[in-house]
């Protein structure tokens, strides 16, 4: 197991697409960054059948630009945690509102000497990953490959869900409760918005700006003294340069007002 190898296009999955249902995009995913990387690489490799997906250390290393020793270690460590990870979102059967909860994978194997893992998505979650014709989020894995924060990745997915397919711009309006759920905010973040802003929102915006070329403005809406909604205005930077505008006021127009209501 050599420490560093040259990156090879043959094993690089970053040009492949990740396609997930919008339900998954807005769900609580209970994943850390390594687990997210493994599962999204698996989704990018889906072949249309919910069979075992093979992900090699070489593919992981080349896709996420890490050395081979890191790739081996992270794939190995995930075997002890991925089987426990679940996702959940709100469901409505027409009469009642409840919560759907299901595990991500139903099997995970690690082959140390050969340097790969095999896993299978659960039967419950697979329909939300395959042959989606509407209400889905799609992005290239390379957009997230350089990210070092799970919060950045989650915000990226929510932007991709809401963006205009023609020019890549869009609006994302969420109640603070929806945002807490999507990023799985801790109790301390829920109790202290300034902490949430400093540790979650602003670092995520900065990383997406610097590593995936987004132009982002965002605004807090309040009900009384309490934060009630977050509104993000975003677009892809046509110049590919850096941009960082923290809590910039969003110009008022009908589209903005409609997004907030």
């Amino acid at each position: 197991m050599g420490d560093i190898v040259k990156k090879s296009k043959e094993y690089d999955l970053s040009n492949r697409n990740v396609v997930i249902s919008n339900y998954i995009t807005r769900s609580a995913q209970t994943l850390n960054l390594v687990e997210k990387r493994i599962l999204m690489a698996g989704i990018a490799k889906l072949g249309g059948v919910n069979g075992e997906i093979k992900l090699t250390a070489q593919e992981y290393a080349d896709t996420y630009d890490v050395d081979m020793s890191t790739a081996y270690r992270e794939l190995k460590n995930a075997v002890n945690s991925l089987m426990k990870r679940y996702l959940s979102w709100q469901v409505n059967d027409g009469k009642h509102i409840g919560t759907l909860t299901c595990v991500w994978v139903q099997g995970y194997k690690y082959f140390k000497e050969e340097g790969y893992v095999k896993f299978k998505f659960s039967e419950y979650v697979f329909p939300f990953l395959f042959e989606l014709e509407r209400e889905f989020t799609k992005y290239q894995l390379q957009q997230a490959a350089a990210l070092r924060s799970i919060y950045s990745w989650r915000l990226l997915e929510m932007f991709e869900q809401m963006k205009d397919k023609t020019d890549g711009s869009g609006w994302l309006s969420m109640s603070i409760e929806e945002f807490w759920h999507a990023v799985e905010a801790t109790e301390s973040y829920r109790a202290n918005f300034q902490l949430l802003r400093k540790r979650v929102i602003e670092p995520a915006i900065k990383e997406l700006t610097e590593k995936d070329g987004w132009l982002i403005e965002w605004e807090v809406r309040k009900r009384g003294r309490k934060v009630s909604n977050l509104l993000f205005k975003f677009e892809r930077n046509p110049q590919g340069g850096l941009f960082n505008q923290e809590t910039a006021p969003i110009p008022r127009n009908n589209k903005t007002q409609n997004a907030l209501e």
Side-chain angles (χ1 to χ4, degrees), residues 16-121:
R16 299 198 187 188
N17 290 323
V18 173
V19 182
I20 55 178
S21 165
N22 288 346
Y23 290 106
I24 292 180
T25 301
R26 295 295 187 105
S27 71
Q29 298 185 356
T30 69
L31 302 172
N32 63 32
L33 182 62
V34 170
E35 294 159 354
K36 180 78 171 176
R37 285 174 168 179
I38 292 171
L39 291 185
M40 296 307 107
I43 291 173
K45 293 191 73 174
L46 277 177
V49 177
N50 192 21
E52 283 191 322
I53 297 167
K54 179 179 178 180
L55 179 65
T56 68
Q58 184 75 69
E59 289 172 323
Y60 186 93
D62 289 350
T63 301
Y64 296 113
D65 196 23
V66 299
D67 60 57
M68 284 293 287
S69 62
T70 298
Y72 274 98
R73 182 178 68 255
E74 294 187 347
L75 291 181
K76 177 183 178 181
N77 290 344
V79 72
N80 296 318
S81 60
L82 267 175
M83 293 294 295
K84 304 173 186 177
R85 300 309 186 202
Y86 63 90
L87 63 163
S88 64
W89 63 82
Q90 192 177 82
V91 293
N92 189 332
D93 65 2
K95 295 181 180 180
H96 306 96
I97 296 176
T99 302
L100 182 151
T101 303
C102 59
V103 295
W104 277 99
V105 299
Q106 63 188 54
Y108 187 93
K109 306 172 185 176
Y110 174 67
F111 297 84
K112 179 179 180 180
E113 296 301 323
E114 293 80 2
Y116 65 84
V117 298
K118 284 187 174 182
F119 60 92
K120 183 178 181 180
F121 287 103

Side-chain angles (χ1 to χ4, degrees), residues 17-20 22 25 136-140 143 157 160-161 163 165:
N17 290 323
V18 173
V19 182
I20 55 178
N22 288 346
T25 301
F136 63 86
T137 302
K138 178 179 179 180
Y139 60 94
Q140 280 197 321
Q143 293 178 242
E157 289 179 336
E160 288 293 336
Q161 176 193 347
K163 78 175 185 181
K165 304 306 182 196

Side-chain angles (χ1 to χ4, degrees), residues 134-151:
R134 58 189 180 87
E135 297 184 357
F136 63 86
T137 302
K138 178 179 179 180
Y139 60 94
Q140 280 197 321
L141 193 57
Q142 66 183 1
Q143 293 178 242
L147 300 180
R148 295 296 181 264
S149 165
I150 190 65
Y151 299 126

Side-chain angles (χ1 to χ4, degrees), residues 135-250:
E135 297 184 357
F136 63 86
T137 302
K138 178 179 179 180
Y139 60 94
Q140 280 197 321
L141 193 57
Q142 66 183 1
Q143 293 178 242
L147 300 180
R148 295 296 181 264
S149 165
I150 190 65
Y151 299 126
S152 305
W153 201 325
R154 297 295 288 117
L155 198 58
L156 166 68
E157 289 179 336
M158 289 185 278
F159 286 172
E160 288 293 336
Q161 176 193 347
M162 300 304 297
K163 78 175 185 181
D164 187 289
K165 304 306 182 196
T166 58
D167 63 9
S169 65
W171 305 79
L172 171 65
S173 178
M174 302 182 76
S175 70
I176 190 65
E177 291 82 8
E178 289 177 313
F179 188 80
W180 288 340
H181 179 77
V183 303
E184 297 163 79
T186 63
E187 288 302 319
S188 60
Y189 291 161
R190 292 175 184 238
N192 186 335
F193 180 76
Q194 293 307 315
L195 193 61
L196 179 76
R197 170 178 172 168
K198 181 179 180 181
R199 300 283 180 83
V200 177
I201 301 174
E202 290 180 347
I205 288 176
K206 184 175 186 294
E207 188 169 40
L208 289 178
T209 296
E210 294 177 350
K211 295 182 179 178
D212 196 36
W214 292 89
L215 306 179
I216 304 167
E217 300 172 7
W218 69 286
E219 183 175 303
V220 172
R221 303 304 301 275
K222 292 185 176 181
R223 186 176 295 113
R225 292 187 174 184
K226 293 185 177 181
V227 173
S228 60
N229 289 76
L230 301 177
L231 176 62
F232 299 87
K233 178 185 177 183
F234 57 87
E235 62 181 307
R236 301 310 298 273
N237 187 351
Q239 304 301 320
L242 301 185
F243 179 88
N244 185 21
Q245 187 168 349
E246 299 178 354
T247 321
I250 298 177

